[in-house]
Amino acid sequence: MWVLLQTVDPHMPKYQDRLATPGVMIRPKTEALDVTFNVSNTETWDHYVKMLDEFLEPYNDSVQAATNAACRPGRYNEQPDDGVPNYPKRACQFNRTQLGPCAGRTYGYGDGRPCVLVKMNRVINFFPGDNKTVSVVCAAKKEEDVAQLGDLALYPANGTIDLMYFPYYGKKVHVNYTQPVVAVQFLNLTANVDHNVECHIRAANIRADDERDKFAGRVAFKIRVNRN
Amino acid sequence: MGKKRADVYSVEVCGPTDLEKIDEGDERYKDLKGNKGKPKKKDELKKELELDDHRLSVEELEEKYGTSITKGLSSARAAEILARDGPNALTPPKATPEIIKFLKQMVGGFSILLWVGALFSWVSFGIQLAQGVDSAFDNLYLGVVLALVVVLTGIFAYYQEAKSTNIMASFSKMIPQQALVIRDAEKKEISAEQLVVGDIVEIKGGDRIPADIRLIFAQGCKVDNSSLTGESEPQSRSCDFTHENPLETKNIAFYSTTCLEGTATGIVINTGDSTVIGRIASLASGVGNEKTPIAIEIQHFVYMVAGVAISIGVLFFIISVSMRYKILDSIIFLIGIIVANVPEGLLATVTVSLSLTAKRMAKKNCLVKNLEAVETLGSTSIICSDKTGTLTQNRMTVAHLWFDNQIFQADTSENQTTQTFDQSSQTWAALSKIVTLCNRAEFRPGQENVPIMKRIVGGDASETALLKFSEVILGDVMDVRSRNKKVTEIPFNSTNKYQLSIHETEDPNDKRFLLVMKGAPERILERCSTIMINGKEEPLDSEKAEAFQTAYMELGGLGERVLGFCHLYLPEDEFPDTYPFDTDSMNFPTSNLCFVGLLSMIDPPRSTVPDAVCKCRSAGIKVIMVTGDHPITAKAIAKSVGIISATSETVEDIAKRLNVPVEHVNRRDATAAVVNGMELKDMTLEQLDEILNNHSEIVFARTSPQQKLIIVEGCQRQNAVVAVTGDGVNDSPALKKADIGIAMGIAGSDAAKNAADMILLDDNFASIVTGVEEGRLIFDNLKKTIAYTLTKNIAELCPFLIYIIASVPLPIGTITILFIDLGTDIIPSVALAYEKAESDIMNRRPRNKKKDRLVNQQLAVYSYLQIGIIQSIGAFLTYFTVYAEQGFLPSTLLGVRVNWENNYINDFEDSYGQEWTKYQRTYLQWSGYTAFFVSITIEQVADLIIRKTRRNSIFQQGLFRNKVIWVGIFSQIAIALILCYGLGSVTALNFTPLRVQYWFVAVPYAILIWVYDEFRKLLIRRYPGSWWDKNMYY
């Protein structure tokens, strides 16, 4: 066992073959990925707001400005070791304000236009998009439900995930790394109906159609707004 | 037990009174009297049993059975009776219905435990399905797989058993017997099964008696009743009522005995099961079949493992419940623990190992009917053996000659081609001529290429012996006889006790006739006035007569049948060429002859037997001879084969040596004992026990086959595992009663074969000894197999325990465990059955039924707690390595179980900050299963190698001697490779293609296992009897 621990690199796992396609998750993270609430009943959505508050805490512009660098958007932020192994890496700023109406207060839950954050799993040394734009696309799972789902707004604009947040260098060297997120706001959901939504990553090197892994490159969740 | 024994004792058939007693003694036998299911009043039963047909006159018989001795029954009447009584055949012992046998296999052994596992799986499937849990179907599949395992192993065991039963079925199938019957006033050949009471049947020499028959006409009829009463001499039969007892009277012939010569006609008085033989046969099926030692051992083992499984299962169920796991989860853990603990494949492996040995034994002429009997033979501590045919060659052979005042020894081995005694004397020339000429036996034609000893001869046993003897020495006997043409002869008869013939001589110049005579020595001597010494006739004075007496006594004392030979050249002038010899008026001299010599014959021991008896002795097996023969003959054979060793004496011997009365000899001083059947009859059980206890060398002579049962039970009271040989119908209760009954393949009756557990195809005692050797070997090897199989149970169990306690991702799945138990491990554990013995297993005592268990504490502790733990550590290392190299360091894994298994957590963080979806984690978990599986497989290779021996170093045993072990190793690895790389993509099996290097993580542990075990064995060899030896040797 000791020998095993000696041979393991603390900065970088030996194999990543299982993580070829990063998974996608949403916030608020709920049991069974089901976001259901009643607009007029604060208690039904209060915990979602709390969860998002907590999650977005490190994204506060002040925190970002204090710890992270403002990187040049549109290209990968590669930081070679330059001869010093595992040299600490700088993280790029992702300001909470970029999420627009989904940045705070009730995240739209109070007025029945809820926001859901979509994030892509961290994978060390992964370069999504092959130097081309990476974005999040959301839609109703079944095409006939599109009308019921209503309009969606994505923040940052177009649901883009900027390349400058990649690659990720791992917990040890990439302290303060801020994971990029995309907020999806449901602008006019039909009330009192279950909506099955699927968001997937649109990127050149991320497949979102794995039969077995329903969360590889995509995420499906249920959202329902009840109104009295 | 006491009551049962009383019944069994009365098996001794001494007429209707005894059979009645049996009936009164036990209601059970009512059914055996042919009135199945119809309980009759006892009086009626008695009446039915009263066999008085032998007292009736022919007319009375005709009236009783409504038949006519000239016309027989009418076909219509016969058909009526047939419908009433059923066919004339013995109903085979009631066989257990196939479906019951099959179901028994389904619930025996570990099956119950696995059924419980399957049931739990389905219950939790039901609950989870109701709760809408996605993974619910896993439990359904697991339940199905478990049920399938039970059913498949059940089918396998059933098939194995059926296969060995089939050997038997083909063996006992006989050509349907025909009987010549008079019906509708016509002689008809019908199948013996169609015979009914009242039929008139004709029998002739060579026929088997088709039913119990009251003879109404007989001519020179002799029957062989040996299978019924044990009398080996042919019994003459006539139509006279000679004895009150139907078994003794001459006018009844019994079903299944053989008519040796003559012809007879009789009325059928009993058919099928109501015949005397039928009653005995059904009596045998009443003797309970004891559980075989190996069955007891396996049961002990099953209880032990099941006990461990259940207690650990329940313990961890309680632990997991108190650790606030959900009840449902706790049940699933319980299933895992049960599956990990139960060696699913082991019982099938044991069956295969036993059947392999059975096959090997069949090659060595031991046909095993019941697989478990294979091992029973190995634990045998007393063999009660027949003499004739088993210890001896079953043919008379000339053993000694006496002429010229000297005793010569003849070669009695099976395939003699020459005789080496001094043949230069003129007396020998004369003697050989008498032996050749005064003999009516002839070789059946067309056997020129057959070795002399194997040729078939027409004639009685003594004459056959003499014919073969002279053929070996002189060459073509028939030629000698044709050159010395026989003029007249008087065949042997019991009044004269001699046989005589007169021949022309082969010398054309010698016109004298030669009178040759042989017979009982004292009768021959009476007729002699001279004796030939060194070719010269000398007067027979008292001194020479004394010498004759001494020689006669000596040969007789060897238990041999002695014949005297004499001759006389008839003077040419009194008996010219044309002399009309007349045997009725005896117009030739039969006294004042010239005595030439004595020849003694014996049924000699088989040449392999002394060696085999010696082996038994060194193997701690007591050989007891049980024979119907005369005590002197029995003792002589016992001495010559070593059943009574050269130095030991019987009470009688000591008395003779010390010249004191037998009563004064301390019985404890005698190591050997020859017990006469007559004495045995009057003995109390205590007296018999005392004999069996105090004498190491025992011969029972003049015993009836029924007394065998008493002897067997006596031996069993000494806590011995008893093997009994037998051939007669009357042996069947003893064969049944014995721990292992051995029937003779050649001489044995069907009833004996049916009752036996094993059939000796060549009737040779030595084959039993090879069987014993195989039986002991398989016991040792089964120990190794079980030790091998049990070891990995710990490596399968630990994952569940760690999983429950430390909440790590599950290291090995239930299905994967089944792949080890029923996949990779099967062939290697069978391969251990091919392992050669470590030391001379025939040099140690038979195992003690109570102390030397198949699975003892040492075996369990060493396998479970030592090798098993090393194996688990090795497998866990591989498991942790796989996880660590993918990003989950061991410290991260602790306590993650709940989140790890949550289907909705798809951003599970590893030690490096990367995030994993559920499926990615599950796949990793499967890689973990595969790694764990591969490690166990690799370590099992080492385990397999160390299990080759229990005491010796592997290098003493030879790593490559048992090729099958290597087949096992390769199969093991090949199966693992196929599962890992070939079926890695089949999701349901939970295997993934594993990186090559992970195959080697456990190798150091495999080596450690080997080194550790070598070290253990070294200390055991170095310090025998030490603490280490006592606790580490299994």
Side-chain angles (χ1 to χ4, degrees), chain A residues 1 4-5 8-19 21-25 27 29-33 119-124 168 170-171 179 212-213 215-216, chain B residues 876-877 880-882 884-887 889-890 902-920 923-924 927 985-987 995 997-998 1005:
Chain A
M1 185 62 98
L4 162 70
L5 293 176
V8 172
D9 182 339
H11 302 285
M12 168 80 199
K14 192 164 179 184
Y15 302 111
Q16 292 180 290
D17 52 313
R18 299 308 349 137
L19 300 174
T21 308
V24 178
M25 261 301 264
R27 289 291 183 277
K29 181 156 83 182
T30 59
E31 191 62 34
L33 303 188
K119 69 180 194 62
M120 191 170 77
N121 282 352
R122 291 188 295 267
V123 175
I124 293 175
Y168 173 57
K171 199 155 85 172
Q179 201 168 2
R212 289 186 190 145
D213 193 347
F215 294 90
Chain B
F876 265 106
L877 181 73
F880 280 124
T881 308
V882 167
E885 299 201 330
Q886 287 281 358
L889 298 183
N902 188 328
N903 279 322
Y904 296 102
I905 297 184
N906 283 293
D907 49 355
F908 190 93
E909 196 176 319
D910 68 13
S911 315
Y912 297 91
Q914 304 186 101
E915 292 166 317
W916 295 64
T917 65
K918 173 71 198 322
Y919 181 78
Q920 287 162 347
Y923 193 89
L924 178 59
S927 302
S985 48
V986 183
T987 337
R995 288 200 158 73
Q997 71 264 34
Y998 295 140
Y1005 289 85

Side-chain angles (χ1 to χ4, degrees), chain B residues 188-205:
Chain B
K188 282 183 193 165
E189 183 107 326
I190 62 165
S191 151
E193 284 199 1
Q194 304 294 320
L195 280 185
V196 296
V197 168
D199 264 331
I200 311 294
V201 290
E202 288 186 9
I203 45 175
K204 58 179 191 308

